[in-house]
């Protein structure tokens, strides 16, 4: 059990989230709709002796998806005592939202411009107790990246906290930039609201999961008018789907898309 929630007067005494379901992401992602947090106990782990943070940009989304699956494979990278503690995915629309956010967000402005032709990006963190082990894993990651014939200049790497913090700003800038975009659209069409769906798909590869999401959207949005971003903690198989509706009609279509994805997720039992 990852978490437990008790409510009064709701007809539900206790809601348990069983093994495999991330209660923290479920509650935080609901933005207050499922409940509020009254008390938090935090366990602090020792900081790693050696840490490298990377962002790799890909000119083809399929390359980025396949790279992540191979990165988590048993034979692609020999991790030794080095740990892959974060593996996040950002698609093309996510990157475009960040680029747009850099125009007005001073925090995002501090981050270097990324390649305009990139279709996707992968963020990852490597930790270990020894610099040599971390660097060995780092070289293997870069070697795997080079197998996709991507531009080596599209590789960002940081070994200090200050440098890594800028990468994290970029990583966390996606939802903030999308929220700002929605606020601007709402000024034009007051009915427009943020539309977001969090998906946990632990039993499928990253490639299969993202492609499945896109296939369902294409089935419901045959004219391809919906603008949406797919990003999230791919290493943990947690994906965030954010729709950016520009009209009431697109909001209605987005609702149909969300219902279709929710229904088929249940049928497929990811």
């Amino acid at each position: 059990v990852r978490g437990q929630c008790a409510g009064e007067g709701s007809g539900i005494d206790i809601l348990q989230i069983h093994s495999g379901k991330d209660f923290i992401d479920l509650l935080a992602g609901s933005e207050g709709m499922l409940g509020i947090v009254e008390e938090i106990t935090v366990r602090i782990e020792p900081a790693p002796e050696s840490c490298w943070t990377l962002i790799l940009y890909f000119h083809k989304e399929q390359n980025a998806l396949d790279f992540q699956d191979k990165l988590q494979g048993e034979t692609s990278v020999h991790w030794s005592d080095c740990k892959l503690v974060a593996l996040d995915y950002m698609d093309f629309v996510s990157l475009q939202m960040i680029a747009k956010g850099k125009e007005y967000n001073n925090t995002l402005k501090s981050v270097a411009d990324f390649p305009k032709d990139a279709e996707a990006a992968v963020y990852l963190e490597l930790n270990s107790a020894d610099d040599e082990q971390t660097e060995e894993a780092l070289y293997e990651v870069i070697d795997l990246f080079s197998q996709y014939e991507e531009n080596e200049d599209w590789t960002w790497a940081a070994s200090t906290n200050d440098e890594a913090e800028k990468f994290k700003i970029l990583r966390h800038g996606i939802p903030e930039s999308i929220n700002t975009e929605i606020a601007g659209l709402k000024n034009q069409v007051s009915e427009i609201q943020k539309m977001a769906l969090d998906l946990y798909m632990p039993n499928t590869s990253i490639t299969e999961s993202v492609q499945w999401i896109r296939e369902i959207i294409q089935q419901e949005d045959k004219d391809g008018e919906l603008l949406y971003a797919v990003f999230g903690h791919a290493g943990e198989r947690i994906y965030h789907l954010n729709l950016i509706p520009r009209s009431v009609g697109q909001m209605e279509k987005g609702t149909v898309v969300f219902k279709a994805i929710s229904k088929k997720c249940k049928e497929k039992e990811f």
Side-chain angles (χ1 to χ4, degrees):
V1 177
R2 287 292 303 275
Q4 188 168 302
C5 175
E8 296 180 2
S10 62
I12 302 176
D13 294 327
I14 295 178
L15 169 64
Q16 287 191 330
I17 308 301
H18 297 281
S19 177
K21 302 293 181 67
D22 195 321
F23 181 74
I24 296 174
D25 276 309
L26 176 66
L27 187 60
S30 73
E31 299 185 348
M33 292 184 291
L34 298 181
I36 60 174
V37 178
E38 294 184 343
E39 182 178 345
I40 297 176
T41 300
V42 179
R43 183 182 64 188
I44 300 176
E45 297 184 355
E49 293 294 328
S50 177
C51 179
W52 276 91
T53 304
L54 295 91
I55 298 183
L56 308 175
Y57 294 96
F58 294 79
H59 77 286
K60 289 184 179 180
E61 179 181 57
Q62 184 56 51
N63 288 353
L65 298 175
D66 188 66
F67 169 84
Q68 292 174 97
D69 283 325
K70 287 187 176 178
L71 194 65
Q72 289 195 307
E74 295 181 357
T75 58
S76 294
V77 176
H78 301 88
W79 296 108
S80 185
D81 291 327
C82 185
K83 295 181 180 179
L84 178 65
V85 297
L87 180 63
D88 281 21
Y89 174 70
M90 298 171 270
D91 74 351
F92 177 74
V93 174
S94 300
L95 295 176
Q96 293 306 303
M97 288 294 106
I98 293 174
K100 198 168 184 179
K102 284 172 66 68
E103 297 175 4
Y104 51 79
N105 186 313
N106 290 329
T107 303
L108 283 175
K109 286 180 181 178
S110 65
V111 182
D113 293 333
F114 50 79
K116 294 181 179 179
D117 296 333
E119 276 195 5
V122 175
Y123 169 100
L124 57 96
E125 293 179 23
L126 304 172
N127 288 354
S128 81
D130 182 86
D131 286 336
E132 185 175 341
Q133 292 176 348
T134 314
E135 290 177 7
E136 181 181 347
L138 172 67
Y139 291 139
E140 292 201 43
V141 169
I142 298 301
D143 182 62
L144 178 61
F145 175 74
S146 66
Q147 294 176 22
Y148 293 90
E149 298 183 352
E150 294 286 354
N151 190 334
E152 291 185 4
D153 293 336
W154 288 15
T155 304
W156 293 2
S159 60
T160 66
N161 289 334
D162 289 343
E163 292 173 331
E165 188 60 33
K166 291 183 179 181
F167 292 3
K168 293 178 181 179
I169 289 172
L170 189 71
R171 172 196 186 196
H172 295 139
I174 301 171
E176 182 178 351
S177 297
I178 291 176
N179 288 344
T180 302
E181 179 73 7
I182 292 294
L185 292 168
K186 190 175 179 64
N187 288 334
Q188 303 173 29
V189 182
S190 60
E191 293 86 355
I192 285 181
Q193 300 287 340
K194 177 181 178 180
M195 303 187 71
L197 189 66
D198 289 348
L199 300 166
Y200 177 58
M201 306 164 77
N203 301 319
T204 59
S205 69
I206 297 171
T207 298
E208 182 183 356
S209 298
V210 174
Q211 289 181 343
W212 182 85
I213 292 170
R214 297 203 186 283
E215 287 172 3
I216 299 300
I217 294 175
Q218 289 171 4
Q219 291 172 12
E220 303 297 335
D221 179 36
K222 293 183 172 56
D223 54 5
E225 69 171 344
L226 290 180
L227 181 65
Y228 64 92
V230 180
F231 59 98
H233 314 302
E236 300 174 39
R237 302 302 190 272
I238 297 172
Y239 308 93
H240 308 305
L241 170 59
N242 281 198
L243 297 185
I244 308 169
R246 288 156 288 180
S247 68
V248 174
Q250 289 186 9
M251 283 189 62
E252 293 172 349
K253 182 179 286 189
T255 301
V256 173
V257 167
F258 279 8
K259 287 182 177 179
I261 290 176
S262 300
K263 179 181 178 181
K264 294 185 179 184
C265 266
K266 185 177 180 180
E267 293 173 351
K268 196 171 177 67
E269 293 186 349
F270 286 106

